[in-house]
Every structure is written in structure tokens, then in C-alpha cells.
Amino acid sequence: ETNTLPFHPFENQQGDILRVEKERQVLKEQLREAEEKFEQLQSRSLEEISALEELLKKSVEETEVSQNELDWFHQDSETQMKKWQQEKKENRDNLKALRGTAKKHSDTNERYLKTIDDKEKQYKTCLNTFVETSNKFANEKGKLEELIKKSQDDRQECEKRAVKAEVLVLQTWKETEIWKLKGTIAKAEGNLRMLKALSSSASPAPVLKSQIDSWEIFISNVKKQLEKVEAEYEEKIELVKNGARNCLSKVEIVDFPCP
């Protein structure tokens, strides 16, 4: 009963501890999958951020080039205003185109910056989720390990009590059988003494001599049986103390018929 009934308070029904261990394995597998997904997402985010930074760098360089060209056009227009009077319209068109390009690069730059900010926020959100999940699984793992350790300690204690109980049962059986056999020996020795007394007080008849021999053989057999029972029970007790199982059975007793 100790090893088969639910172990309260850790089991409401048989197998709860195994179920908790299986749930712990499932949680560990989910944690591993979450870590793999996080690493994949982190790798993709880093690649996207690197690409966006490269595009941003290129846009800044193009913006600087456009700005330098714009400055050059301004200076050249001021110094050669009269010479380029006829080309003023063309220069204005070029200036407008350059400003449009600068605006376009500026918008692209802002868009890339916004994308980078969104990716960083997404990365931080994933990181926080991973940390929370990791902490949750760590707490669950700690609780499960404590329960498992306590269950193991309780199981060892139950095993000790079970061994003690089995030893006590075997000792009780041994003492009972020894008491019975010693009682039989005592009665037989009393009968033998009475027969020997009769044989000494009169001329022993052949039947009386035969009866004395029978009782002596009977007493010898019972004593051997007593030694055998005591030795086998002691062997069983030692086996139980050393951790053997299925030793809780009575020693077979040979019932010798009385003469």
C-alpha cells in the first residue's frame, strides 16, 4: 500500500508526479523553441538594421553631394549673374530638380530612421518577452526540482519504513515458528523422558524400545527443522535489509507426524 497508493500531498491520484515531470519536459522544449525563434528573429533584425544603415549612409552621402552642388550653383550664379542671365531659367529648373532630389533623399532618410526605430522597438519587445518567458520557466523548473527532491526524500523514508516493517513481520513469523517448534520439542522430550523412565523401571519391551527410538528420531528431525527455519528467516531478514524485494513470504515448514 505504501508504494501503490497516491502519495499525498504531492499526488491526488497515482501518476501525478510523473505527469508533472512530463509537463516540465514540455516546458523545457517550449523554452528551447522560444530561444531558437528569438535567435532567428535577432539575426534577421541585425541583417535588416545593417542594410538600412548602409542605405542611410548612402543617402547621406548623396544628400551631401547634392547640397555641395547646390552651394556651388549658388556661388556660381552670384559671381556670373550677368553672364548666365540667359540661362537663368535653366538654372532655376536645375535648382528645383536638385532640391527635389534633396527632399527625396531627406524623406528616404526619415523613412529609414523610422524603420530602424520600429525594428529596435520590435527587438526590445521580443527580448523582454524572452526574458519573461525564461524567468517563468526558471521559476517553474525550480519549483519542480524542489518537488522532485522532496518526493525522493519521502520515497526514501517510505522505503526505510517498508524495510523496517518487512523485517518486523519476518521476525514475528520466525519467533512464532520457533516457539511452535520449541513447544513441539518440549512435549516430545517430555514423552521421551516418560518412556525412558518406564523402560528403566521394568524390563524394556521391544515395543517400548521402538517407541523411544521413534521419539528420538522425531526430536532430531524437529530440531533440524528448527535450525533450518531460523537460518532461512535470518537470511530473508538480511536480504530485506540489503534492499532485496519479494522476500516477504513464510518459510516452508515440514510437518513431521508424531510417533
Side-chain angles (χ1 to χ4, degrees):
E1 289 183 354
T2 301
N3 293 327
T4 58
L5 292 179
F7 188 70
H8 298 288
F10 307 101
E11 284 186 332
N12 292 324
Q13 58 184 2
Q14 186 177 1
D16 281 353
I17 291 178
L18 293 177
R19 180 179 54 77
V20 171
E21 177 63 19
K22 290 180 180 178
E23 291 176 355
R24 173 175 172 268
Q25 293 298 327
V26 172
L27 290 174
K28 286 176 66 178
E29 183 64 21
Q30 291 176 354
L31 175 59
R32 184 186 65 76
E33 293 177 358
E35 289 176 346
E36 291 178 355
K37 290 180 180 178
F38 168 73
E39 290 175 357
Q40 293 174 0
L41 180 58
Q42 185 184 33
S43 177
R44 290 198 301 269
S45 298
L46 290 175
E47 291 176 359
E48 291 176 359
I49 289 173
S50 178
L52 290 173
E53 287 178 347
E54 186 65 25
L55 288 175
L56 176 61
K57 180 180 178 182
K58 184 177 180 181
S59 298
V60 170
E61 291 175 354
E62 291 178 354
T63 302
E64 290 177 354
V65 171
S66 299
Q67 189 65 41
N68 291 333
E69 291 178 357
L70 180 61
D71 294 339
W72 180 81
F73 277 118
H74 275 297
Q75 294 175 2
D76 191 67
S77 297
E78 291 175 357
T79 56
Q80 300 184 17
M81 182 64 69
K82 294 179 181 180
K83 182 179 178 180
W84 290 353
Q85 189 73 33
Q86 297 176 356
E87 300 176 357
K88 184 176 182 180
K89 187 178 181 297
E90 183 181 352
N91 287 338
R92 286 178 180 176
D93 293 339
N94 290 334
L95 179 60
K96 183 179 180 181
L98 290 172
R99 284 178 176 174
T101 303
K103 179 68 168 58
K104 180 180 178 182
H105 290 313
S106 178
D107 293 341
T108 303
N109 186 25
E110 291 179 359
R111 187 170 63 254
Y112 288 155
L113 288 174
K114 186 177 183 302
T115 303
I116 291 173
D117 290 339
D118 293 339
K119 292 295 182 180
E120 287 182 348
K121 290 178 181 179
Q122 186 179 3
Y123 169 75
K124 289 179 180 179
T125 301
C126 293
L127 179 61
N128 292 334
T129 302
F130 169 75
V131 171
E132 291 176 0
T133 304
S134 178
N135 292 335
K136 179 182 177 182
F137 288 156
N139 293 333
E140 291 293 334
K141 179 182 177 182
K143 292 178 181 178
L144 289 174
E145 288 177 347
E146 290 178 1
L147 285 175
I148 291 171
K149 184 179 183 303
K150 191 173 187 307
S151 298
Q152 290 175 344
D153 294 340
D154 292 339
R155 179 180 61 80
Q156 292 176 357
E157 183 64 26
C158 290
E159 287 180 353
K160 291 180 182 178
R161 292 202 303 268
V163 170
K164 185 176 180 181
E166 289 185 7
V167 169
L168 183 60
V169 169
L170 290 172
Q171 288 177 342
T172 302
W173 287 348
K174 183 188 76 171
E175 292 171 359
T176 301
E177 295 298 336
I178 289 175
W179 177 80
K180 288 180 181 178
L181 292 172
K182 285 185 177 179
T184 301
I185 292 172
K187 290 180 182 179
E189 288 177 344
N191 292 334
L192 182 61
R193 284 194 299 271
M194 182 178 66
L195 291 173
K196 287 182 176 180
L198 290 175
S199 67
S200 62
S201 62
S203 58
V207 174
L208 189 62
K209 180 68 170 61
S210 174
Q211 289 181 353
I212 291 173
D213 293 339
S214 298
W215 278 103
E216 287 179 344
I217 293 171
F218 174 76
I219 291 171
S220 175
N221 290 333
V222 174
K223 285 183 177 180
K224 291 179 180 179
Q225 180 72 16
L226 175 62
E227 293 175 356
K228 173 178 174 295
V229 168
E230 188 172 7
E232 290 187 9
Y233 270 115
E234 288 296 330
E235 182 181 0
K236 285 178 175 289
I237 290 171
E238 288 300 320
L239 289 174
V240 171
K241 288 181 178 179
N242 292 330
R245 293 292 179 266
N246 300 324
C247 295
L248 195 62
S249 60
K250 290 186 176 181
V251 174
E252 183 179 357
I253 306 297
V254 178
D255 189 10
F256 295 105
C258 291

